[in-house]
Amino acid sequence: ALELVKQHKEAFEWIQQAVELMKPDNVHICDGTPEENNTLVQEMVARGDLIALNPEKNPNSYLARSDPSDVARVEKCTYICWPTKEEAGPTNNWVEPNEMMATLRGLYDGCMRGRTMYVVPYSMGPVGSYLARVGFEITDSPYVVCSMYIMTRIGVPVLKWMVEKQLPFIPGLHSVGSPRLDKSIPDSHWPCNDKKYIVHFPHLRTVASFGSGYGGNALLGKKCFALRIASALAKDEGWLAEHMLILGITNPEGKKKYIAAAFPSQCGKTNLAMMMPTLPGWKIECVGDDIAWMHPGKDGRLYAINPENGFFGVATGTSLHTNPHAMNTINRNTLFTNVALTDDGDVWWEGKTDDVPEHLIDWTGKDWTPASKEPAAHPNSRFAVSTNQCPSLDPNWEDVEGVPISAILFGGRRPLTVPLITQALDWTHGTFFGAAVSSQTTAAAEGKVGELRHDPFAMLPFCGYNMGQYFQHWLDIGNKAEDAHLLPRIFQINWFRKDKNGHYMWPGFGENSRVLKWVFDRSDEPLTPSAIAHASPIGFLPTDDAIDIDGLEGVTVETMKQLHAVDVPGWFSDLASCEHYFSQFGDDLPQGIKDQVALLRRRLEEYASSPAEAR
């Protein structure tokens, strides 16, 4: 591996500079082999950094416990450092690049003393695909290396491709920020630092992370590269890097389509991507559960790849009821973080089983019983597992050309106002759907859980440049299309609508296939009302009998009417909230979005003043 690195002059020089700055005791260039990964895993087990699980319950699987201060993405410590604050926009944290570089140099100076520097060459996307991009991550965390081994394509095949084509790469520096200056003192099982920085320099195409060992902060190929840096690349090059799942859906007649969907974290992306449909004869297959790179194809359609090679999913709430395919994916060769440990060496988390164990070791390593006040698993507990283990994996998931997208869904956790499913009137209206996404917050990021916040396109924490310009980029994709009919249809969905008693009105999970059938059917049709849809001020809504509810307990035609009712006061309130949120973008807010706000207001006013029988 070292000899290959030497053949890429720019990469070799960058690595040498990092060694001089960070001063590790040893340097290891990762070759990406199973033997290398197993060696690192066994070394961590020997040190107590990982716990080997019962091989009869979950073979070749391990449990890591993080420091209690390092359990989620730290958005307040995440920076987008363009040369000017305007380029970063009002929704991103910004520091002048030279100032930030000086801060990072001070933190990185000697930060790897007493540790090994691991150099991880990796590809986001299939090696050799013209849609894929490559990077290097330098880290002092073997946990990160083993996670990257699962989540990306790493090692010699990537290096050979980089050398052969002399590919440009995204450089990423990562350190837990905890040098071992006195090796007579036992090392922490999860070293980290109270100071945390996750920094992106999009104009330089570089990433730097310090102080955290947790997934999204430390696995630099994921949110840092594949979304924040890639979104800036995509803007310059005319494509889209999105926080979206990709699934294939096949009807009983054998016709297949692909759907992409954007939800904020912990809003059901993995459950939808791996859904086991309840509708007879329908099949859903998983391409990816988190990130989609979408490029305009020669035929005018959008084609998407999943740039990742694994699932980094939320364990809490995952069960044979909510996601049987996920449970059958993570029953071997899985790296768990911050779940609970059973007395017989298996893992457990809230929602996994109806029966709660009498005794567990919780995610902090303490005894736990059902009487304990704190949860046994952290609400943001995770599993990392290879995509190839998914039993519903789409056969085209690694197609180097990508898969053609027929529909795009936007959604979030909305207990009120937003219907179960709405279709946009056109691409521009669909872009407004994306810009207007708001959702109740979850445990995937630090902060208060349950508050409603705007999260445009589910990209608020992940957009690598000014969000107002990002809205315009979406509008431009539509404006530049030679045939708008070939673009994906856009929909707004909401699995989380509640009734007046606070109960969910829609059963969700596998029953969501009933809604996807409507999406499937509508993505074939012109953007007009039809036998299965009617026009409304907020978009096209299903007719009362358009979504099959046969056999659904507790869901009636009246329920469907309530799920698709147009709540005029609620929508006026939402519109006011959107206008207030959009105002921060000033002149960067596209005219196309302003026009959509005005058009929605006009349609709502006309609807509110019309006779009830005409609605």
Side-chain angles (χ1 to χ4, degrees):
L2 177 59
E3 292 307 311
L4 283 169
V5 170
K6 288 180 178 178
Q7 295 175 49
H8 197 296
K9 183 173 181 290
E10 184 183 354
F12 187 60
E13 290 179 353
W14 173 72
I15 293 166
Q16 286 181 307
Q17 293 168 4
V19 171
E20 291 174 7
L21 176 63
M22 296 174 158
K23 304 174 180 61
D25 281 12
N26 305 289
V27 179
H28 177 78
I29 311 292
C30 295
D31 61 22
T33 60
E35 293 78 14
E36 175 187 65
N37 182 67
N38 187 60
T39 297
L40 289 173
V41 167
Q42 296 310 318
E43 288 174 353
M44 285 189 281
V45 171
R47 289 194 302 268
D49 300 348
L50 292 181
I51 298 169
L53 300 179
N54 185 332
E56 294 183 2
K57 298 277 187 177
N58 208 314
N60 194 34
S61 297
Y62 301 88
L63 168 62
R65 293 182 180 131
S66 80
D67 187 279
S69 68
D70 195 21
V71 295
R73 283 185 288 104
V74 282
E75 292 178 13
K76 65 184 179 184
C77 305
T78 301
Y79 298 88
I80 306 293
C81 296
W82 286 92
T84 66
K85 188 173 184 178
E86 182 184 7
E87 290 169 287
T91 61
N92 285 318
N93 298 318
W94 177 85
V95 172
E96 194 278 326
N98 291 327
E99 179 185 341
M100 179 58 78
M101 287 179 185
T103 297
L104 291 171
R105 276 195 296 269
L107 293 170
Y108 282 140
D109 190 3
C111 66
M112 292 190 185
R113 282 195 174 99
R115 299 195 181 279
T116 295
M117 171 187 282
Y118 300 94
V119 181
V120 184
Y122 67 97
S123 174
M124 301 306 292
V127 173
S129 169
Y130 74 97
L131 300 176
R133 302 299 171 99
V134 296
F136 276 101
E137 173 162 2
I138 283 176
T139 181
D140 52 6
S141 167
Y143 168 88
V144 167
V145 177
C146 292
S147 298
M148 290 289 283
Y149 177 83
I150 295 170
M151 295 301 302
T152 68
R153 300 151 178 92
I154 78 168
V156 169
V158 179
L159 280 174
K160 286 181 177 178
W161 184 36
M162 290 178 69
V163 169
E164 179 187 350
K165 302 294 184 182
Q166 287 297 297
L167 296 173
F169 64 94
I170 303 298
L173 294 178
H174 169 256
S175 174
V176 294
S178 183
R180 291 197 68 193
L181 303 179
D182 184 352
K183 291 194 177 181
S184 66
I185 300 173
D187 195 10
S188 166
H189 293 313
W190 187 280
C192 59
N193 194 304
D194 290 340
K195 292 181 180 178
K196 292 177 172 59
Y197 287 85
I198 296 85
V199 185
H200 311 74
F201 301 96
H203 60 299
L204 302 175
R205 311 301 197 222
T206 63
V207 180
S209 175
F210 179 89
S212 172
Y214 167 79
N217 304 326
L219 310 184
L220 301 187
K222 195 166 177 63
K223 309 298 192 186
C224 296
F225 177 179
L227 288 178
R228 298 187 186 107
I229 295 297
S231 63
L233 281 169
K235 176 177 178 289
D236 291 344
E237 298 173 4
W239 51 282
L240 296 166
E242 300 299 324
H243 185 209
M244 291 183 178
L245 66 89
I246 311 167
L247 62 83
I249 178 169
T250 306
N251 71 5
E253 291 71 46
K255 185 173 183 179
K256 186 170 189 177
K257 297 181 181 182
Y258 289 94
I259 295 173
F263 313 142
S265 295
Q266 287 195 352
C267 285
K269 286 198 306 299
T270 302
N271 287 345
L272 186 62
M274 297 185 188
M275 183 203 298
M276 189 176 288
T278 56
L279 280 181
W282 287 77
K283 181 166 66 174
I284 291 189
E285 294 167 300
C286 178
V287 176
D289 77 328
D290 195 41
I291 297 173
W293 287 357
M294 297 189 288
H295 294 69
K298 294 177 182 178
D299 61 358
R301 304 179 73 186
L302 281 184
Y303 285 79
I305 65 167
N306 165 20
E308 298 191 283
N309 198 43
F311 303 113
F312 186 66
V314 176
T316 302
T318 303
S319 70
L320 287 171
H321 168 64
T322 63
N323 196 335
H325 285 321
M327 294 297 286
N328 290 321
T329 301
I330 62 176
N331 60 10
R332 64 205 183 280
N333 309 318
T334 302
L335 179 55
F336 295 95
T337 303
N338 290 344
V339 299
L341 185 67
T342 66
D343 291 344
D344 60 354
D346 198 6
V347 289
W348 191 87
W349 48 81
E350 278 71 15
K352 183 184 179 187
T353 58
D354 291 335
D355 295 329
V356 179
E358 291 298 313
H359 176 264
L360 296 164
I361 302 299
D362 74 7
W363 71 276
T364 67
K366 298 176 183 176
D367 287 302
W368 185 94
T369 71
S372 300
K373 293 182 179 179
E374 299 298 325
H378 189 275
N380 196 38
S381 59
R382 294 280 174 161
F383 56 78
V385 63
S386 171
T387 303
N388 280 306
Q389 291 191 187
C390 178
S392 61
L393 188 62
D394 191 276
N396 297 319
W397 88 275
E398 284 194 295
D399 191 317
V400 295
E401 301 290 332
V403 296
I405 301 299
S406 295
I408 293 172
L409 316 180
F410 293 111
R413 289 180 176 269
R414 293 298 306 271
L416 301 171
T417 307
V418 179
L420 176 63
I421 181 80
T422 314
Q423 184 179 10
L425 303 173
D426 53 33
W427 180 269
T428 302
H429 186 218
T431 299
F432 174 72
F433 274 6
V437 168
S438 58
S439 182
Q440 286 185 330
T441 52
T442 70
E446 285 192 329
K448 190 173 180 180
V449 173
E451 292 183 339
L452 193 66
R453 81 164 180 176
H454 287 272
D455 192 348
F457 292 82
M459 283 285 284
L460 179 66
F462 309 124
C463 185
Y465 60 100
N466 188 308
M467 185 69 82
Q469 297 170 15
Y470 170 85
F471 296 164
Q472 184 61 58
H473 180 54
W474 264 79
L475 294 170
D476 290 343
I477 293 289
N479 293 335
K480 292 175 182 177
E482 291 186 13
D483 184 352
H485 181 70
L486 296 174
L487 290 172
R489 304 293 190 256
I490 299 179
F491 300 80
Q492 182 181 57
I493 61 173
N494 179 24
W495 316 127
F496 303 98
R497 186 78 175 262
K498 292 183 178 180
D499 62 20
K500 60 184 180 182
N501 297 315
H503 300 135
Y504 289 116
M505 299 174 68
W506 181 252
F509 306 114
E511 305 297 358
N512 291 337
S513 57
R514 300 168 185 265
V515 179
L516 293 189
K517 178 184 181 298
W518 190 76
V519 171
F520 186 100
D521 293 339
R522 284 293 295 174
S523 62
D524 260 348
E525 296 192 10
L527 285 164
T528 57
S530 73
I532 60 170
H534 66 90
S536 84
I538 58 175
F540 297 115
L541 293 170
T543 55
D544 292 343
D545 58 352
I547 293 177
D548 181 3
I549 58 171
D550 187 44
L552 274 186
E553 186 176 343
V555 179
T556 65
V557 172
E558 183 57 34
T559 307
M560 299 308 291
K561 287 182 177 180
Q562 293 176 30
L563 279 168
H564 294 116
V566 178
D567 175 5
V568 174
W571 277 106
F572 275 124
S573 177
D574 259 32
L575 197 55
S577 179
C578 280
E579 284 188 293
H580 177 73
Y581 183 78
F582 291 156
S583 67
Q584 67 185 308
F585 299 112
D587 293 340
D588 287 312
L589 184 69
Q591 185 61 45
I593 298 298
K594 296 176 185 176
D595 291 345
Q596 288 299 313
V597 170
L599 287 168
L600 177 57
R601 175 176 288 106
R602 185 187 311 160
R603 291 195 300 267
L604 286 169
E605 289 172 345
E606 291 174 352
Y607 181 81
S609 62
S610 65
E613 60 272 12
R615 297 177 184 175

